[in-house]
């Protein structure tokens, strides 16, 4: 490259010496006659153009060369950013059989049909499509009870009702890990009980030490930290340490900006990384006084700011795509929770479908394709 540039510079210098020195002298004499002066100027311009053309590529070649170096998939980038745009229709349903006037709710969700979201063609996947998408995959979900509920929703899309009934006891053992292999599609799923961010960091370092990485990694933590540590600054530091561990061990493209927002598509990202956000906490419904005191609105906002400041999420220049449980739970509303913290399965079902659609986009797959 440097040799090529040196050749161009020498050629330009030689052309200038050959052309401009004698023609400048001639121009001095021609300047006494305007007509001859402008004719001479035109001649000089044309001569310069002819002599310098070989040293420069054509405009079309230049544009083509730029396109060959940097190509962004704008549609992919746009749709990934819109994958959490979900709307809810929550309607009361009177249960008359009990005779006590108890009200239940029908909770229906779908992606918004407005504007750019409609053009992304997001859709709820059936069991066959989910199996095809996750065929041969190793999926790891790590976190607290929110992550465990997400695992339940994912497995409900893969396993039949009978098998789900058989595994629920083991899946919901308190404060424990869980693993399952779905033999018919060669998929392994691990749930790792990791209620603190430091647990997630340790998990990342374990992957690095063992040199084995899942195909899909979903993680999230914060509720336990808010309750038992109750310090947003400490949470921020823990998240930044987690981000560093993730970036250090995975084969990211150089396009991943470590100092600011991502400016283009990241071409290399394996495994597929997701952050499971915290839900909206409805303070008046929390089931202990300690929770109501410590997990108040002010503290929730402080923890949200810590997540933003950590630049862990892709929207802020980080490696993880958000599964926005906060937005999903907010829009589903208080009708979707009985304790102000854990929400109906419909909320986590929506999160799983968001994850699956993001996987379709990132892996460039289409439903029904091999």
């Amino acid at each position: 490259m440097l040799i090529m540039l040196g050749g161009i510079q020498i050629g330009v210098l030689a052309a200038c010496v050959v052309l401009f020195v004698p023609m400048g002298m001639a121009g001095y004499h021609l300047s006494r006659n305007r007509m001859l002066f402008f004719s001479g100027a035109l001649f000089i311009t044309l001569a310069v153009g002819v002599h310098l053309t070989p040293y420069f590529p054509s405009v079309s070649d230049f544009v083509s060369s730029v396109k060959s170096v940097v190509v962004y998939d704008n549609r992919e980038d746009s749709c990934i950013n819109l994958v959490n745009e979900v709307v809810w229709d929550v309607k009361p349903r009177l249960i008359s059989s009990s005779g006590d006037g108890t009200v239940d709710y029908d909770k229906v969700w779908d992606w918004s049909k407005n504007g750019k979201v409609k053009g992304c063609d997001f859709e709820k996947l059936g069991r066959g499509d989910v199996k095809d998408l996750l065929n041969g995959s190793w999926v790891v979900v790590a976190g607290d009870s929110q992550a465990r509920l997400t695992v339940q929703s994912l497995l409900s899309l893969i396993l039949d009702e009978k098998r789900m009934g058989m595994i629920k006891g083991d899946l919901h053992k308190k404060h424990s890990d869980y693993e399952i292999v779905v033999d018919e599609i060669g998929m392994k799923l691990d749930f790792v009980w990791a209620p603190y961010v430091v647990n997630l960091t340790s998990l990342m370092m374990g992957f690095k030490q063992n040199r084995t990485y899942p195909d899909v990694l979903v993680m999230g933590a914060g509720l336990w930290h808010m309750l038992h540590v109750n310090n947003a600054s400490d949470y921020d530091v823990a998240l930044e340490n987690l981000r560093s561990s993730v970036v250090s061990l995975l084969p990211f493209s150089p396009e991943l900006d470590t100092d600011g927002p991502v400016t283009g598509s990241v071409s290399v990202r394996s495994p597929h990384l997701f952050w499971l956000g915290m839900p909206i906490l409805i303070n008046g419904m929390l089931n202990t006084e300690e929770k109501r005191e410590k997990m108040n609105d002010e503290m929730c906002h402080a923890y949200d700011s810590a997540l933003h400041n950590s630049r862990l999420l892709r929207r802020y220049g980080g490696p993880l795509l958000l599964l926005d449980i906060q937005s999903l739970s907010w829009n589903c509303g208080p009708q979707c929770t009985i304790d102000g913290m854990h929400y109906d399965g419909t909320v986590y079902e929506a999160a799983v479908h968001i994850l699956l659609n993001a996987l379709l986009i990132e892996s460039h797959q289409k439903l029904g394709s091999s």
Side-chain angles (χ1 to χ4, degrees):
M1 184 68 178
L2 291 175
I3 294 174
M4 183 181 72
L5 289 174
I8 291 175
Q9 291 170 344
I10 293 171
V12 171
L13 180 60
C16 290
V17 171
V18 171
L19 288 170
F20 289 112
V21 171
M23 289 186 178
M25 296 174 63
Y28 171 76
H29 297 288
L30 292 174
S31 63
R32 298 179 179 181
N33 185 307
R34 286 189 178 182
M35 183 61 69
L36 288 176
F37 174 76
F38 287 115
S39 298
L42 178 60
F43 173 75
I44 292 173
T45 303
L46 292 174
V48 171
V50 170
H51 280 77
L52 296 185
T53 296
Y55 297 101
F56 297 96
S58 67
V59 173
S60 60
D61 290 341
F62 175 76
V63 173
S64 298
S65 66
V66 172
K67 286 185 176 179
S68 68
V69 174
V70 181
V71 178
Y72 296 123
D73 187 343
N74 291 329
R75 181 187 177 279
E76 175 181 322
D77 229 23
S78 174
C79 288
I80 280 287
N81 293 333
L82 297 172
V83 73
N84 282 290
E85 296 293 321
V86 166
V87 294
W88 289 85
D89 183 16
V90 180
K91 295 180 178 178
R93 182 180 71 242
L94 183 66
I95 303 177
S96 57
S97 58
S98 62
D100 61 358
T102 304
V103 177
D104 198 359
Y105 293 85
D106 291 319
K107 302 138 189 171
V108 179
W109 68 273
D110 203 348
W111 282 276
S112 170
K113 301 302 181 184
N114 296 327
K116 294 180 180 180
V117 180
K118 185 176 181 180
C120 291
D121 297 324
F122 298 131
E123 57 184 298
K124 299 177 184 180
L125 277 63
R127 180 170 282 115
D129 291 326
V130 177
K131 287 183 174 181
D132 288 343
L133 181 60
L134 297 179
N135 184 48
S137 297
W138 177 23
V139 180
V140 173
V141 182
D144 52 23
S145 56
Q146 301 291 315
R148 197 186 298 273
L149 291 169
T150 302
V151 169
Q152 178 178 313
S153 291
L154 176 57
L155 289 176
S156 295
L157 291 175
I158 299 171
L159 306 178
D160 59 32
E161 188 175 348
K162 180 179 179 181
R163 191 168 181 190
M164 279 301 299
M166 294 171 60
I167 69 168
K168 272 190 175 180
D170 290 334
L171 174 59
H172 287 282
K173 282 183 179 178
K174 198 171 184 180
H175 304 168
S176 64
D177 298 344
Y178 174 79
E179 66 177 42
I180 184 173
V181 176
V182 184
D183 292 322
E184 57 265 36
I185 60 172
M187 186 199 84
K188 180 183 179 183
L189 186 148
D190 287 309
F191 168 72
V192 180
W193 172 248
Y196 293 100
V197 174
V198 66
N199 303 137
L200 300 176
T201 304
S202 297
L203 180 64
M204 297 302 100
M205 302 319 295
F207 290 144
K208 183 175 182 178
Q209 182 178 359
N210 297 328
R211 297 183 180 275
T212 57
Y213 310 100
D215 301 293
V216 180
L217 175 58
V218 183
M219 54 183 167
L223 293 175
W224 275 56
H225 194 285
M226 190 186 300
L227 178 61
H228 299 294
V229 180
N230 205 237
N231 186 317
S233 296
D234 184 83
Y235 183 62
D236 189 351
V237 172
L239 290 172
E240 290 177 3
N241 290 337
L242 173 61
R243 183 188 191 277
S244 297
S245 69
V246 173
V247 172
S248 70
L249 66 89
L250 296 174
F252 289 102
S253 161
E255 294 173 38
L256 182 61
D257 186 359
T258 57
D259 296 317
V262 173
T263 55
S265 298
V266 178
S267 58
V268 180
R269 183 176 283 109
S270 179
H272 301 281
L273 300 170
F274 298 89
W275 180 258
L276 193 65
M278 288 190 287
I280 283 290
L281 300 180
I282 303 176
N283 192 269
M285 299 180 70
L286 297 178
N287 55 20
T288 70
E289 182 59 34
E290 182 184 17
K291 289 179 181 178
R292 289 191 291 271
E293 179 183 345
K294 293 182 176 180
M295 308 176 87
N296 53 57
D297 290 345
E298 182 180 355
M299 188 58 66
C300 289
H301 290 314
Y303 272 63
D304 286 344
S305 296
L307 179 60
H308 179 175
N309 296 336
S310 71
R311 295 185 294 110
L312 183 67
L313 300 182
R314 194 182 303 183
R315 65 171 64 169
Y316 304 127
L320 276 69
L321 181 67
L322 176 66
L323 300 177
D324 198 350
I325 297 293
Q326 184 178 91
S327 175
L328 294 172
S329 57
W330 170 265
N331 288 301
C332 194
Q335 302 88 348
C336 297
T337 178
I338 59 173
D339 65 0
M341 179 183 296
H342 302 94
Y343 282 75
D344 290 353
T346 313
V347 170
Y348 304 99
E349 172 197 296
V352 168
H353 279 285
I354 289 170
L355 179 151
L356 295 171
N357 276 263
L359 286 178
L360 281 173
I361 296 171
E362 290 190 339
S363 59
H364 305 285
Q365 296 186 47
K366 294 184 177 179
L367 297 180
S369 64
S370 58

